[in-house]
Amino acid sequence: MQEYDSPMFRMACQQFDRVADYLALPQEVRGRMKQPKRTLIVSVPVRMDDGRVVVFPGYRVQHHLSLGPTKGGLRYHPDVTLGEVAALAMWMSWKCALAGLPYGGAKGGIACDPRKMSLRELERLTRRFTQEVIPLIGGHVDVMAPDVGTNEQTMAWILDTCAMREGEARPEIVTGKPISLGGSLGRREATGRGVAFLANRAMDTLGIDAAKATAVVQGFGNVGSHAALVLARHGTKIIGVGVQDGAVYNPNGLDLAALDSHLRANNHDIANFPGGEPITNEQLLELKCDVLAPCALERAITEKNAARLKCRVLAEGANGPTTPEADKIIEERGDIFVVPDILCNCGGVVVSYFEWVQNLQSFSWTEAEVNDKLYRILEQAFAAVMHRAKREKLSHRLAALAVGVQRVADAKLQRGLFP
Ligand code: GLU
């Protein structure tokens, strides 16, 4: 379908084709799995603070409906396109299936620059977008969550907008909301915590002592910052951190709390952080380290830098950070332990699922319960990927995709075709 055509969607399809060939999936099911099930494109008019009306394009893509409601984040970023959102929705499907969650994948996005918008403008944008997509969302239909550029506040506005329309608040309509509105303890930290847990499992497998290891983290948003903090708590030295406009390096380890306050106080200006030497994002990714965790946007590792990576573990906190060309180079090198994105960053949606279950039961769990259940699922998913990779001599990415894609294919084949 050419509507979705874009470098990102092509990348997701290329990965899918490779797995589908490997699994010898019947043709009849391939087409059903590759194209998103349904998509809503909306125009979101917003009155800006200066009185102008700006119309933002918004998207919600639901990739498949065979295992339950669809689930996935909502992204605010200037580069959001339909093709990108469709690729991200497809990855959510494989991710949820790999983690054994009863969901299909979805993703939403609005092409806007949240860094240049006021809080009130963002609220109007979110409420109007919600109003436009209401026919397609719901606690048993499609459940949104934060992604790049959105947060707990965004989810609170969505929840409130739906509640105003329906006359009652249903917390299960979104996950990743504030705790006071039915959010789950541990959800905010979950993705980063999962990235750190799996990076540690990779280090265990390679016999690297986490307390003597070094790590580089690209992205210091909700995923990167918590991944870095949890890695540091286990004694790993964070020697490099990057944000959108640059990066810092300190071979003795960065003071993460100081970096966090500096970025907040100085509008994300990392170059002037006094606790490290300013470097570029390109240099950051090529630093020698034990763990490299790209936790920002997609396509950070490409055929240009893949041969120059000097890490032993590549822990993909972002969605789609490695292009298929780079993947090939990494596979040929054979010296990097890849924790692929759909495994590495699945902690977020796993705790989203816990949040949804708690909401449906009007019951809340302690943070210890949440984390304990999270680690069990991560361990199971990690073991499933390692087992499959070893038994069938596959790359970790192909193994992870094979587990996820197979589960969706089985569900589709077992349910059959309507009518
Ligand atoms: N946006 C996150 C992801 O890409 C979380 C999605 C969710 O919790 O539904 O996995």
Side-chain angles (χ1 to χ4, degrees), residues 274-295:
E277 172 194 330
I279 54 171
T280 63
N281 259 301
E282 289 74 37
Q283 291 170 314
L284 178 86
L285 296 171
E286 294 172 20
L287 286 174
K288 183 170 167 24
C289 58
D290 293 300
V291 176
L292 173 63
C295 298

mmCIF file of all heavy atoms in Angstrom, residues 274-295:
data_model
loop_
_atom_site.group_PDB
_atom_site.id
_atom_site.type_symbol
_atom_site.label_atom_id
_atom_site.label_comp_id
_atom_site.label_asym_id
_atom_site.label_seq_id
_atom_site.Cartn_x
_atom_site.Cartn_y
_atom_site.Cartn_z
ATOM 1 N N PRO A 274 29.125 21.630 32.786
ATOM 2 C CA PRO A 274 30.501 21.713 33.274
ATOM 3 C C PRO A 274 31.125 20.359 33.635
ATOM 4 O O PRO A 274 32.352 20.248 33.723
ATOM 5 C CB PRO A 274 30.390 22.599 34.527
ATOM 6 C CG PRO A 274 28.946 22.622 34.903
ATOM 7 C CD PRO A 274 28.148 22.248 33.708
ATOM 8 N N GLY A 275 30.294 19.315 33.798
ATOM 9 C CA GLY A 275 30.839 18.029 34.258
ATOM 10 C C GLY A 275 31.321 17.101 33.162
ATOM 11 O O GLY A 275 31.492 15.902 33.406
ATOM 12 N N GLY A 276 31.540 17.597 31.957
ATOM 13 C CA GLY A 276 32.005 16.719 30.880
ATOM 14 C C GLY A 276 32.477 17.538 29.693
ATOM 15 O O GLY A 276 32.272 18.743 29.632
ATOM 16 N N GLU A 277 33.094 16.809 28.742
ATOM 17 C CA GLU A 277 33.632 17.491 27.558
ATOM 18 C C GLU A 277 32.585 17.415 26.442
ATOM 19 O O GLU A 277 32.028 16.332 26.196
ATOM 20 C CB GLU A 277 34.896 16.710 27.201
ATOM 21 C CG GLU A 277 35.584 17.041 25.940
ATOM 22 C CD GLU A 277 36.598 15.914 25.623
ATOM 23 O OE1 GLU A 277 37.136 15.281 26.563
ATOM 24 O OE2 GLU A 277 36.810 15.651 24.437
ATOM 25 N N PRO A 278 32.273 18.546 25.765
ATOM 26 C CA PRO A 278 31.255 18.465 24.719
ATOM 27 C C PRO A 278 31.756 17.677 23.498
ATOM 28 O O PRO A 278 32.894 17.862 23.062
ATOM 29 C CB PRO A 278 30.993 19.934 24.347
ATOM 30 C CG PRO A 278 32.144 20.708 24.877
ATOM 31 C CD PRO A 278 32.809 19.909 25.958
ATOM 32 N N ILE A 279 30.928 16.779 22.988
ATOM 33 C CA ILE A 279 31.245 16.032 21.754
ATOM 34 C C ILE A 279 29.990 16.014 20.889
ATOM 35 O O ILE A 279 28.921 16.429 21.341
ATOM 36 C CB ILE A 279 31.716 14.577 22.040
ATOM 37 C CG1 ILE A 279 30.674 13.832 22.904
ATOM 38 C CG2 ILE A 279 33.079 14.538 22.704
ATOM 39 C CD1 ILE A 279 30.951 12.339 23.051
ATOM 40 N N THR A 280 30.117 15.511 19.663
ATOM 41 C CA THR A 280 28.931 15.437 18.797
ATOM 42 C C THR A 280 28.231 14.091 19.030
ATOM 43 O O THR A 280 28.828 13.155 19.588
ATOM 44 C CB THR A 280 29.319 15.513 17.310
ATOM 45 O OG1 THR A 280 30.124 14.358 17.014
ATOM 46 C CG2 THR A 280 30.095 16.779 16.981
ATOM 47 N N ASN A 281 26.997 13.999 18.553
ATOM 48 C CA ASN A 281 26.271 12.732 18.667
ATOM 49 C C ASN A 281 26.949 11.627 17.873
ATOM 50 O O ASN A 281 26.908 10.457 18.253
ATOM 51 C CB ASN A 281 24.822 12.925 18.219
ATOM 52 C CG ASN A 281 23.886 13.047 19.407
ATOM 53 O OD1 ASN A 281 23.803 12.143 20.232
ATOM 54 N ND2 ASN A 281 23.206 14.168 19.521
ATOM 55 N N GLU A 282 27.615 11.999 16.761
ATOM 56 C CA GLU A 282 28.337 10.994 15.951
ATOM 57 C C GLU A 282 29.485 10.413 16.784
ATOM 58 O O GLU A 282 29.707 9.210 16.814
ATOM 59 C CB GLU A 282 28.917 11.603 14.666
ATOM 60 C CG GLU A 282 27.898 11.980 13.602
ATOM 61 C CD GLU A 282 27.097 13.240 13.941
ATOM 62 O OE1 GLU A 282 27.687 14.183 14.524
ATOM 63 O OE2 GLU A 282 25.887 13.269 13.652
ATOM 64 N N GLN A 283 30.223 11.313 17.447
ATOM 65 C CA GLN A 283 31.350 10.843 18.270
ATOM 66 C C GLN A 283 30.854 9.982 19.430
ATOM 67 O O GLN A 283 31.463 8.982 19.798
ATOM 68 C CB GLN A 283 32.136 12.038 18.825
ATOM 69 C CG GLN A 283 32.906 12.806 17.749
ATOM 70 C CD GLN A 283 33.467 14.120 18.304
ATOM 71 O OE1 GLN A 283 32.778 14.883 18.990
ATOM 72 N NE2 GLN A 283 34.725 14.389 17.994
ATOM 73 N N LEU A 284 29.715 10.396 19.988
ATOM 74 C CA LEU A 284 29.142 9.687 21.140
ATOM 75 C C LEU A 284 28.933 8.201 20.815
ATOM 76 O O LEU A 284 29.339 7.321 21.576
ATOM 77 C CB LEU A 284 27.796 10.319 21.503
ATOM 78 C CG LEU A 284 27.053 9.646 22.650
ATOM 79 C CD1 LEU A 284 27.512 10.203 23.988
ATOM 80 C CD2 LEU A 284 25.544 9.808 22.528
ATOM 81 N N LEU A 285 28.314 7.959 19.642
ATOM 82 C CA LEU A 285 27.961 6.583 19.293
ATOM 83 C C LEU A 285 29.199 5.723 19.041
ATOM 84 O O LEU A 285 29.127 4.499 19.109
ATOM 85 C CB LEU A 285 27.045 6.571 18.060
ATOM 86 C CG LEU A 285 25.679 7.235 18.257
ATOM 87 C CD1 LEU A 285 24.938 7.364 16.929
ATOM 88 C CD2 LEU A 285 24.818 6.454 19.242
ATOM 89 N N GLU A 286 30.318 6.374 18.748
ATOM 90 C CA GLU A 286 31.529 5.616 18.437
ATOM 91 C C GLU A 286 32.500 5.521 19.620
ATOM 92 O O GLU A 286 33.627 5.068 19.475
ATOM 93 C CB GLU A 286 32.206 6.228 17.206
ATOM 94 C CG GLU A 286 31.338 6.058 15.974
ATOM 95 C CD GLU A 286 31.854 6.800 14.749
ATOM 96 O OE1 GLU A 286 33.069 7.137 14.718
ATOM 97 O OE2 GLU A 286 31.051 7.051 13.833
ATOM 98 N N LEU A 287 32.067 5.947 20.807
ATOM 99 C CA LEU A 287 32.943 5.859 21.984
ATOM 100 C C LEU A 287 33.173 4.391 22.348
ATOM 101 O O LEU A 287 32.279 3.558 22.193
ATOM 102 C CB LEU A 287 32.297 6.558 23.185
ATOM 103 C CG LEU A 287 32.270 8.090 23.186
ATOM 104 C CD1 LEU A 287 31.461 8.599 24.385
ATOM 105 C CD2 LEU A 287 33.678 8.669 23.230
ATOM 106 N N LYS A 288 34.356 4.121 22.887
ATOM 107 C CA LYS A 288 34.618 2.754 23.342
ATOM 108 C C LYS A 288 33.910 2.565 24.679
ATOM 109 O O LYS A 288 34.093 3.365 25.607
ATOM 110 C CB LYS A 288 36.140 2.572 23.507
ATOM 111 C CG LYS A 288 36.538 1.176 23.893
ATOM 112 C CD LYS A 288 38.049 1.032 23.793
ATOM 113 C CE LYS A 288 38.631 -0.197 24.439
ATOM 114 N NZ LYS A 288 37.840 -1.350 24.630
ATOM 115 N N CYS A 289 33.085 1.537 24.760
ATOM 116 C CA CYS A 289 32.326 1.306 26.000
ATOM 117 C C CYS A 289 31.850 -0.145 26.019
ATOM 118 O O CYS A 289 31.939 -0.845 25.019
ATOM 119 C CB CYS A 289 31.113 2.238 26.050
ATOM 120 S SG CYS A 289 30.007 2.028 24.640
ATOM 121 N N ASP A 290 31.353 -0.579 27.172
ATOM 122 C CA ASP A 290 30.785 -1.931 27.220
ATOM 123 C C ASP A 290 29.361 -1.940 26.678
ATOM 124 O O ASP A 290 28.985 -2.827 25.930
ATOM 125 C CB ASP A 290 30.826 -2.452 28.661
ATOM 126 C CG ASP A 290 32.250 -2.658 29.121
ATOM 127 O OD1 ASP A 290 32.966 -3.458 28.485
ATOM 128 O OD2 ASP A 290 32.688 -1.986 30.076
ATOM 129 N N VAL A 291 28.558 -0.948 27.119
ATOM 130 C CA VAL A 291 27.149 -0.912 26.678
ATOM 131 C C VAL A 291 26.870 0.379 25.936
ATOM 132 O O VAL A 291 27.138 1.467 26.458
ATOM 133 C CB VAL A 291 26.199 -0.988 27.893
ATOM 134 C CG1 VAL A 291 24.739 -0.862 27.451
ATOM 135 C CG2 VAL A 291 26.402 -2.281 28.666
ATOM 136 N N LEU A 292 26.350 0.261 24.741
ATOM 137 C CA LEU A 292 25.868 1.438 24.016
ATOM 138 C C LEU A 292 24.343 1.328 23.963
ATOM 139 O O LEU A 292 23.812 0.332 23.465
ATOM 140 C CB LEU A 292 26.450 1.476 22.595
ATOM 141 C CG LEU A 292 25.881 2.571 21.679
ATOM 142 C CD1 LEU A 292 26.200 3.969 22.220
ATOM 143 C CD2 LEU A 292 26.452 2.439 20.260
ATOM 144 N N ALA A 293 23.669 2.337 24.514
ATOM 145 C CA ALA A 293 22.196 2.286 24.544
ATOM 146 C C ALA A 293 21.613 3.465 23.762
ATOM 147 O O ALA A 293 21.497 4.565 24.290
ATOM 148 C CB ALA A 293 21.708 2.305 25.997
ATOM 149 N N PRO A 294 21.279 3.244 22.476
ATOM 150 C CA PRO A 294 20.591 4.304 21.740
ATOM 151 C C PRO A 294 19.140 4.369 22.224
ATOM 152 O O PRO A 294 18.377 3.429 22.014
ATOM 153 C CB PRO A 294 20.690 3.861 20.276
ATOM 154 C CG PRO A 294 20.985 2.401 20.305
ATOM 155 C CD PRO A 294 21.484 2.033 21.663
ATOM 156 N N CYS A 295 18.797 5.460 22.903
ATOM 157 C CA CYS A 295 17.454 5.579 23.507
ATOM 158 C C CYS A 295 16.764 6.828 22.979
ATOM 159 O O CYS A 295 15.995 7.471 23.704
ATOM 160 C CB CYS A 295 17.559 5.659 25.031
ATOM 161 S SG CYS A 295 18.272 4.209 25.784
#
